Amino acid sequence: MLEFETTNVWNHSIYGYLFLKYMPPLSDYAEAILYHHSSWKDIQNAHIQYGDYAAMIHLADRMDVAFTYHSGSEALIKLLNKSKALFRPDYFETAIQCIKNHSILPQLIDHSYRAENFKLCKTFHPSTKEALDYLKMVVYSIDFRSDHTVTHTINTVAIAVNIARHFHISEDELENIYLGALLHDIGKIAIPLSILESPGRLNDEDMFIMRTHVEETGYLIKGIVPDEIYQLAMRHHEKLDGSGYPEGLCAHDLTFPQRIVAVADIVSALSSRRSYKDPFPKEKTLSIIEQMGKTQLDPDICQYICTSYDQIMEDTDNSRIQVIDMYQHIVSEYERMMSQQHLATANSI
Ligand SMILES: [Fe+2]
Ligand SMILES: [Fe+2]
Ligand SMILES: [Fe+2]
């Protein structure tokens, strides 16, 4: 158990720490993530805030690993006892009691613990701002997986909101567009990095996998967000002439807000760097949009893009710059921390 996953714990611990540090909703807890593979003694020596949480995550993490490889309560207790010295003593005793007396293992196996988890989640009532911060954290965690998609979602959101404002969309619908655009690619969490970062055009098989991100998005948000927002996210690759996916819907199926998100997604992709291309210059982006506006995308929206491109891009710069800044901070601090000898040598638990 101790050999497993302990030779290279710092890279993901540091990344997790920085990610939380720069995200508003959980920044206070960042250090607990940094030390989530450290012994209780090391956590105490580090004098961090929420060290008890680090100790709790550490123990839960190790229990999970031990449980995965050695099923059965007795085997698990035996294994945990071997590394007892690493854990905070009262947490360790509680964990053993949970295994012995509260049937924690059967609950993990038959997933009945989930009902309890959901019940607990329902007692959490975030403010609108907090809820948005959590949502952004999830979205950035997906975009930041690849250097090439860092600002894709936030660009799509900014472009979609700009278009919606231009067409005097109601405030309620504007909010839906904002959230639908924010969630539209959340299913990319399920797409392997090798495909997200593919340097050339995707082959048929990889393209098939890439396209499943829409269904994955649906799987993640169905029943959790209002139906309008779900549909906005699900239809961002549909085209007016039926050539889109996943359902091949047609013009009469697609609402104006859904058409806005579809155009915003394409403008964001064309005007940004992708693994397989540099950002397209304005002229190339606009000639593609103009062409697509003839059959595939809404002609009025495309016309607006073509006549107001510079102003739209200027408007989106602000959100883009903030996200790029955050990403660059995370990357440069990550490199600095990884190179620090004291962390590198402390990585054996
Ligand atoms: Fe970990
Ligand atoms: Fe997409
Ligand atoms: Fe997208």
Side-chain angles (χ1 to χ4, degrees):
M1 179 182 77
L2 292 177
E3 276 166 14
F4 180 77
E5 264 196 355
T6 53
T7 47
N8 218 350
V9 296
W10 285 107
N11 43 11
H12 80 276
S13 302
I14 290 174
Y15 188 80
Y17 157 73
L18 292 170
F19 196 81
L20 255 63
K21 184 178 160 187
Y22 286 101
M23 299 287 156
L26 294 172
S27 43
D28 286 353
Y29 304 101
E31 284 178 337
I33 300 302
L34 183 59
Y35 287 93
H36 82 276
H37 281 289
S38 301
S39 67
W40 177 231
K41 195 169 147 243
D42 287 344
I43 294 172
Q44 283 177 300
N45 287 339
H47 298 293
I48 60 163
Q49 208 188 2
Y50 300 112
D52 45 349
Y53 289 6
M56 218 178 284
I57 299 169
H58 181 211
L59 176 56
D61 179 286
R62 294 295 92 187
M63 282 174 75
D64 177 59
V65 171
F67 162 61
T68 309
Y69 289 88
H70 304 269
S71 53
S73 301
E74 273 179 29
L76 179 58
I77 292 173
K78 214 169 135 194
L79 203 61
L80 285 172
N81 263 314
K82 280 190 187 168
S83 38
K84 189 175 174 178
L86 295 176
F87 305 116
R88 185 172 140 158
D90 52 342
Y91 290 176
F92 183 81
E93 285 316 316
T94 307
I96 299 296
Q97 289 311 314
C98 283
I99 298 167
K100 277 185 180 166
N101 305 329
H102 299 284
S103 57
I104 194 170
L105 281 188
Q107 284 189 53
L108 285 170
I109 292 165
D110 69 13
H111 290 176
S112 57
Y113 74 96
R114 287 187 184 174
E116 204 175 331
N117 260 0
F118 278 124
K119 220 164 99 188
L120 208 66
C121 287
K122 282 193 173 152
T123 62
F124 173 56
H125 299 291
S127 65
T128 308
K129 185 184 174 307
E130 275 175 326
L132 256 182
D133 284 342
Y134 276 103
L135 191 53
K136 282 187 186 164
M137 187 171 81
V138 174
V139 168
Y140 294 150
S141 74
I142 295 161
D143 281 3
F144 286 12
R145 286 178 71 206
S146 163
D147 261 352
H148 311 287
T149 57
V150 169
T151 59
H152 171 64
T153 302
I154 210 69
N155 284 347
T156 306
V157 170
I159 296 167
V161 167
N162 180 299
I163 300 170
R165 288 228 161 89
H166 172 77
F167 285 97
H168 306 294
I169 298 290
S170 73
E171 278 306 307
D172 282 354
E173 247 172 348
L174 192 79
E175 197 179 300
N176 287 343
I177 289 172
Y178 177 89
L179 292 169
L182 200 56
L183 289 166
H184 82 281
D185 272 342
I186 203 167
K188 282 194 180 161
I189 191 77
I191 306 300
L193 260 191
S194 57
I195 294 182
L196 287 181
E197 302 210 302
S198 167
R201 284 222 156 267
L202 294 175
N203 62 32
D204 289 353
E205 196 186 327
D206 287 350
M207 182 53 94
F208 178 83
I209 296 170
M210 181 60 145
R211 289 182 166 196
T212 61
H213 78 275
V214 181
E215 283 96 342
E216 295 290 348
T217 296
Y219 172 70
L220 286 169
I221 64 172
K222 193 173 174 58
I224 293 176
V225 300
D227 196 53
E228 292 80 5
I229 297 171
Y230 167 78
Q231 297 294 1
L232 279 161
M234 288 302 287
R235 296 182 170 187
H236 73 275
H237 286 299
E238 298 288 356
K239 303 278 189 310
L240 302 187
D241 60 1
S243 63
Y245 64 94
E247 290 195 78
L249 300 173
C250 289
H252 62 266
D253 303 308
L254 299 166
T255 65
F256 195 64
Q258 288 163 8
R259 297 170 186 209
I260 290 178
V261 176
V263 174
D265 178 54
I266 290 176
V267 176
S268 165
L270 294 173
S271 61
S272 315
R273 186 178 308 284
R274 286 293 169 100
S275 59
Y276 50 89
K277 70 162 193 63
D278 283 334
F280 284 160
K282 175 184 166 184
E283 294 68 31
K284 188 167 180 182
T285 299
L286 293 188
S287 94
I288 294 172
I289 291 293
E290 197 186 341
Q291 203 52 35
M292 291 181 88
K294 288 179 182 161
T295 51
Q296 299 188 310
L297 299 173
D298 187 279
D300 296 335
I301 301 173
C302 289
Q303 202 198 353
Y304 170 60
I305 300 287
C306 291
T307 51
S308 310
Y309 185 79
D310 290 339
Q311 172 252 314
I312 297 169
M313 287 298 135
E314 222 179 278
D315 268 13
T316 61
D317 266 0
N318 210 5
S319 2
R320 194 187 2 244
I321 287 165
Q322 277 180 20
V323 176
I324 290 176
D325 255 17
M326 189 201 301
Y327 179 72
Q328 282 171 349
H329 267 110
I330 291 177
V331 172
S332 63
E333 228 175 296
Y334 175 80
E335 278 158 11
R336 184 183 60 76
M337 287 177 79
M338 279 303 287
S339 67
Q340 277 176 1
Q341 195 56 33
H342 74 277
L343 282 182
T345 50
N347 75 6
S348 57
I349 298 177

